[in-house]
Amino acid sequence: VDPHLLRTFVAVARHGSFSAAARALGYTQSAVSQHIAALEADLRAPLLTRRPVAPTPAGARLLEHAGPLLLRLEAARADVTRLINAPRAARLTVGATPLAARSAALARALAEVRRAHPAARVAVRMLPRGEVPAGVATGRLDAGLVDGTVAPTDPLPLPDVGPVATRPLGEQPLAVVVPRDHPLARRPGLRLADLADARWLDAPEAAVPLGRLRAAGGAGGPDGFRPALRYEGTDPEVLLALAAAGHGLTVLPLPFAAGVATPLGAAVVPLTAPQLVHRTELLLPAAGPGDETGPAGALAAVLTAA
Amino acid sequence: VDPHLLRTFVAVARHGSFSAAARALGYTQSAVSQHIAALEADLRAPLLTRRPVAPTPAGARLLEHAGPLLLRLEAARADVTRLINAPRAARLTVGATPLAARSAALARALAEVRRAHPAARVAVRMLPRGEVPAGVATGRLDAGLVDGTVAPTDPLPLPDVGPVATRPLGEQPLAVVVPRDHPLARRPGLRLADLADARWLDAPEAAVPLGRLRAAGGAGGPDGFRPALRYEGTDPEVLLALAAAGHGLTVLPLPFAAGVATPLGAAVVPLTAPQLVHRTELLLPAAGPGDETGPAGALAAVLTAA
DNA sequence: CCCGGTTACGCTTGTCGTAAAGATT
DNA sequence: AATCTTTACGACAAGCGTAACCGGG
């Protein structure tokens, strides 16, 4: 399982074609063909069907491994390189998940950084949850903000792409968003277990994923929290509008939901049990001790102080 | 960052010698030297000091990446191979952490498996927590039992070494173990926040790690839950004896602690807040759907039914 | 017959082992 | 001086590209 072969394998699978992958990688079709043949010989199994080019079951399984594997490889390389050329250019790129990017702390911290480092090129990049840790580990981001729903005592479950430092930035209570005229809208609070039979908005990128609710909801078993409509976007306001229109329930951080719910015709009911919080965490490349210099260090210092 | 080079790099770092690593890997010293030189040229940084042979800071950082990286590689290989040669030999090797191995469910399930598959070689291997997921992913284990302390709603945080399936097996309340004559021994229950200033047993392999308590304890900040004595073993009974002798407090699953505390002179006080549970989970290689055949499938079926 | 993947073959490059040289205690 | 790492060099294999060869629409 030579990483080079793996790289061309994923390229072929992505492009659905040997020749396209070859172009993308700067190889000849022949080389790509040889790579795939070598992989298949190594694992003693066909990984792709030709004509049309598509992964076999074994190939699909290998693909699941390939992504994280290549990511970790890149992260290792980037991490050591970063340790060597310690003082980097005066630029700061921060990645953030949609909800985390709305954090007031981030805006304040960025202002502080720009004041302290006027020459620094500061950029904020909005990314899906999975890509923020990857970006920080591979050095494409200097820092990341991720949010997630967990019990108050537990750390955010992040895909481990290598040694990264995390610092909690803040926790917010959660709320269920329902249409204004919904029978539950007037309740003072709701328990997740009572909502297992409702129809939900499935929005893994914009809100708390249904699987998470199912795991936390207790009652309802594996059949609870059925999705009614799937929203694949990342904008929580769109999601809230969908909830207001009656397409299903959703769970969002209470302060955010309360801020925009009323004009959209939605009601916001605090989630009282089980006790879950929406936490935002700062992700930094795990640097040596005392590496609090430059824009990234300043950002960390400001955010942590808040 | 060729995995082969990485492999010899970790071997050299482990053995503290080029020649010893060469012997262990079946290479000549010369080849090992060339490997290290190639790695250092690739990353443009010295990774090892020679004479004595020890990792430089950059090398140490690379070592942190190397282990998980090589593990994932092996896991990918093993996982695809397992998918190819689906029906494996009639043997079942189960790995378990010390506390999980004591689970009555495991003993019962093993009895069931041995009845249903009398010819199968069944083995149980006690392993430190970190090695069970690795063993399952790399195919050295057919199944694993891990335990950990989390909030009731959250999954166990496991190092992700690839796609593995987890199933919760059972949850137990936690208890603080104190000497019988300790002032807290007569309390009906204890809150973690009240215990931040006490002295604790630091036993990451045998009990709930102190870092976990610190994160969950809220009060006390980063200075709470100071370790008084470190126990690096894995036997929870030894730990309980240490707690009884007044070397420090510790947190263990209540049913286990209650079972052995009294004869050892310890008192067991339920932990009432924050709400944490000790959960045991079954780990299985993420197989295709309907792969419930053979001893491993039987074990999973029995354990899950319980 | 055309498009796309495979196979054959030669060349370059990389990798390992042997052996001599260099460095450090 | 002894031990351990590095360097030099030759043999061999691996990897890529060119080009010829299939196999399906």
Side-chain angles (χ1 to χ4, degrees):
Chain A
V1 283
D2 179 342
H4 286 130
L5 307 187
L6 224 48
R7 244 170 50 87
T8 82
F9 175 62
V10 309
V12 170
R14 284 183 62 81
H15 290 84
S17 149
F18 282 50
S19 10
R23 275 192 299 278
L25 296 172
Y27 284 135
T28 57
Q29 298 149 337
S30 166
V32 170
S33 187
Q34 293 177 50
H35 277 191
I36 303 300
L39 249 190
E40 293 183 327
D42 182 21
L43 298 175
R44 276 171 254 282
L47 300 173
L48 293 169
T49 64
R50 327 293 152 102
R51 224 182 289 276
V53 172
T56 64
R61 180 59 69 89
L62 184 60
L63 275 178
E64 289 180 43
H65 288 274
L69 206 38
L70 295 174
L71 188 69
R72 276 207 89 113
L73 234 108
E74 191 187 345
R77 186 177 193 76
D79 196 22
V80 175
T81 306
R82 177 162 39 203
L83 200 66
I84 308 302
N85 332 356
R88 286 217 317 304
R91 27 175 302 172
L92 173 69
T93 307
V94 183
T97 52
L99 274 168
R102 286 182 147 84
S103 140
L106 176 62
R108 262 185 278 115
L110 286 176
E112 190 73 21
V113 169
R114 297 192 56 197
R115 209 173 47 71
H117 300 261
R121 298 252 171 288
V122 177
V124 177
R125 197 176 298 168
M126 196 122 107
L127 294 168
R129 0 175 41 73
E131 291 183 23
V132 175
V136 171
T138 56
R140 282 189 288 268
L141 301 176
D142 300 299
L145 256 67
V146 273
D147 63 296
T149 297
V150 289
T153 61
D154 281 13
L156 280 191
L158 298 171
D160 64 347
V161 289
V164 294
T166 73
R167 309 191 185 177
L169 286 185
E171 298 187 346
Q172 305 175 322
L174 289 165
V176 183
V177 181
V178 302
R180 198 203 322 261
D181 52 359
H182 195 280
L184 297 173
R186 308 194 165 270
R187 297 276 201 91
L190 287 169
R191 322 177 112 258
L192 211 46
D194 301 332
L195 300 170
D197 294 330
R199 300 305 294 276
W200 288 80
L201 287 170
D202 184 17
E205 289 295 337
V208 181
L210 287 189
R212 193 69 195 72
L213 294 183
R214 214 169 283 130
D223 306 324
F225 301 94
R226 283 165 304 156
L229 182 90
R230 183 176 174 88
Y231 171 58
E232 305 193 336
T234 61
D235 189 337
E237 303 206 20
V238 170
L239 190 70
L240 217 147
L242 289 173
H247 290 291
L249 309 187
T250 192
V251 169
L252 288 170
L254 196 150
F256 166 78
V260 293
T262 312
L264 289 169
V268 172
V269 186
L271 190 67
T272 57
Q275 202 187 349
L276 293 174
V277 296
H278 188 85
R279 183 187 306 133
T280 304
E281 289 188 0
L282 174 66
L283 256 63
L284 293 170
D291 185 62
E292 299 291 296
T293 65
L299 178 84
V302 176
L303 277 175
T304 306
Chain B
V1 282
D2 180 342
H4 285 132
L5 307 187
L6 225 50
R7 244 170 50 89
T8 81
F9 174 62
V10 309
V12 171
R14 285 184 60 83
H15 290 84
S17 149
F18 282 51
S19 11
R23 275 192 298 277
L25 296 173
Y27 283 135
T28 57
Q29 295 136 338
S30 167
V32 170
S33 187
Q34 293 177 50
H35 277 191
I36 302 301
L39 249 190
E40 293 183 328
D42 182 21
L43 296 175
R44 276 171 254 284
L47 300 173
L48 293 168
T49 63
R50 327 295 152 101
R51 222 182 284 276
V53 172
T56 64
R61 180 59 67 90
L62 184 60
L63 275 178
E64 288 180 44
H65 288 274
L69 206 38
L70 295 174
L71 189 68
R72 276 207 89 112
L73 245 130
E74 191 187 345
R77 189 180 190 72
D79 196 21
V80 175
T81 306
R82 176 162 41 202
L83 200 66
I84 308 302
N85 332 358
R88 287 219 316 305
R91 27 175 301 172
L92 174 70
T93 308
V94 183
T97 52
L99 273 168
R102 286 182 147 85
S103 141
L106 176 61
R108 262 185 279 115
L110 286 176
E112 190 73 20
V113 168
R114 298 191 56 197
R115 207 173 48 71
H117 299 262
R121 300 250 170 289
V122 177
V124 177
R125 198 177 297 167
M126 196 120 107
L127 294 168
R129 359 175 40 73
E131 292 184 24
V132 175
V136 172
T138 57
R140 282 190 286 269
L141 301 176
D142 300 298
L145 256 66
V146 273
D147 63 295
T149 297
V150 288
T153 62
D154 281 12
L156 279 191
L158 299 171
D160 65 344
V161 289
V164 295
T166 73
R167 308 190 186 179
L169 286 185
E171 298 188 345
Q172 304 175 323
L174 289 165
V176 183
V177 181
V178 301
R180 197 202 323 262
D181 53 358
H182 195 280
L184 297 174
R186 306 194 168 272
R187 296 277 201 91
L190 286 169
R191 322 177 111 257
L192 211 47
D194 302 332
L195 300 170
D197 294 330
R199 300 306 294 274
W200 288 80
L201 287 170
D202 184 15
E205 290 295 337
V208 181
L210 287 190
R212 192 70 195 73
L213 294 183
R214 216 170 281 131
D223 307 324
F225 301 95
R226 282 165 305 156
L229 182 91
R230 184 175 173 88
Y231 171 59
E232 304 194 336
T234 61
D235 189 337
E237 303 207 20
V238 170
L239 190 69
L240 217 147
L242 289 173
H247 290 291
L249 308 187
T250 192
V251 169
L252 287 170
L254 195 150
F256 166 77
V260 293
T262 311
L264 290 170
V268 172
V269 186
L271 188 67
T272 57
Q275 202 186 347
L276 293 175
V277 296
H278 188 85
R279 184 185 308 134
T280 304
E281 288 189 359
L282 174 67
L283 257 61
L284 293 169
D291 184 62
E292 299 290 298
T293 64
L299 178 84
V302 176
L303 277 176
T304 306

